[in-house]
Amino acid sequence: ETVTIVGNGNVALDCARILCKGTDGLRSSDIAEHALEKLRASAVRQVIVLGRRGVLHAAFTIKELRELSRLPAVATTIE
C-alpha cells in the first residue's frame, strides 16, 4: 500500500503524481493503456518521495511540486 520513491528530481515527482492522480485523472493524458490497467489494479494508498539530498539540491520546479500538492487527497510535507 505504500510506495517510496527515492530521488528529488522531476522524474521522481512525475512518478509520484502518476501514482497519486489515479486512473480517472490520467484518462485524458498520453499514458499507455497497459500502464492504466496496472494502475487500476494497484493497491497503492500512500506515496513517499524521499530525497537523497537536501531541498537546495532538488531538481524539480515549484510548478511541478505545486501540481502534485494540489491533487485531491494529497498532503505535502517537506522535512
Side-chain angles (χ1 to χ4, degrees), residues 17-18 29 60-61 64:
R17 182 182 49 79
I18 287 170
S29 73
F60 53 81
T61 66
E64 291 165 325

Side-chain angles (χ1 to χ4, degrees), residues 25-38:
L26 293 170
R27 273 187 220 282
S28 62
S29 73
D30 61 351
I31 194 165
E33 186 59 38
H34 67 274
L36 278 175
E37 290 174 20
K38 293 291 185 184

